[in-house]
Amino acid sequence: MFSLEDIWSQANNTRSTIFMDNSKFEKAIIHKGIKITNERGVYTIVKSSSSYYDEIADEEYDIFLEKGWVIGRLNVLMNECEEELDSLFIKIRNCYQDNNRKSLLFYKKRKEKVLSKYSELHKQLNQINGKVNENPIGVKSSKEPIQ
């Protein structure tokens, strides 16, 4: 289990994060659409689901607190992809019903981009989980001598 201060430290130590120091009371770290703010010791995690930031759900906070910054961030980004895919599938279905070919092509291309992003996030998550479980039961590590 991690605290929000631990999550802040992990985010601060992650490469390619952007650290913002707006005032002596408010600081923020942003990485790929996920932002953690520290305002006078009160930590908040938000996501950029549109042109503004929305606070993440309680279930997503639980994952951050249980698994840490990297896995929590990947989880939030994957959830956003799933929500967008649900919306796109509805729009695609409506384009078929309305026989709107131009919009259909647009939504299908958008769907492919979102699926590609989701696949990349899932791949990153599997790599991290693979590192955590480097030596599953019954599998010899290359570092261990074979007897």
Side-chain angles (χ1 to χ4, degrees):
M1 291 293 286
F2 298 99
S3 69
L4 286 173
E5 289 179 27
D6 295 335
I7 304 297
W8 174 268
S9 296
Q10 291 172 5
N12 199 21
N13 293 330
T14 302
R15 285 185 19 202
S16 73
T17 57
I18 298 170
F19 180 78
M20 298 183 341
D21 190 358
N22 298 337
S23 68
K24 63 181 179 179
F25 300 114
E26 184 181 4
K27 296 173 178 46
I29 299 171
I30 301 175
H31 190 245
K32 295 189 178 181
I34 307 301
K35 177 171 137 180
I36 182 169
T37 60
N38 177 1
E39 192 170 343
R40 296 183 178 176
V42 177
Y43 298 93
T44 308
I45 302 174
V46 294
K47 60 184 176 182
S48 63
S49 54
S50 60
S51 60
Y52 56 92
Y53 284 96
D54 292 326
E55 188 168 3
I56 63 172
D58 290 338
E59 300 84 31
E60 292 171 326
Y61 265 113
D62 292 341
I63 292 173
F64 271 100
L65 295 174
E66 185 179 326
K67 305 280 185 171
W69 168 255
V70 176
I71 292 177
R73 181 184 55 81
L74 289 173
N75 179 63
V76 170
L77 294 173
M78 288 174 69
N79 287 343
E80 284 183 346
C81 286
E82 289 172 1
E83 290 171 9
E84 188 171 355
L85 284 171
D86 289 343
S87 171
L88 286 169
F89 283 126
I90 291 169
K91 290 176 181 178
I92 289 171
R93 186 186 67 216
N94 291 340
C95 286
Y96 275 119
Q97 291 174 351
D98 298 340
N99 203 15
N100 188 343
R101 196 165 176 80
K102 188 175 182 180
S103 293
L104 179 64
L105 292 174
F106 172 78
Y107 290 134
K108 280 187 171 184
K109 285 181 184 179
R110 181 71 191 139
K111 179 186 79 167
E112 291 301 318
K113 287 181 182 180
V114 174
L115 282 171
S116 175
K117 180 179 176 182
Y118 183 85
S119 175
E120 183 61 35
L121 293 169
H122 195 269
K123 184 177 173 182
Q124 290 176 16
L125 187 61
N126 284 340
Q127 288 174 344
I128 291 169
N129 287 335
K131 289 180 183 176
V132 171
N133 301 319
E134 272 185 356
N135 192 9
I137 297 174
V139 177
K140 291 228 178 239
S141 170
S142 60
K143 297 176 184 173
E144 296 177 4
I146 298 176
Q147 300 176 0

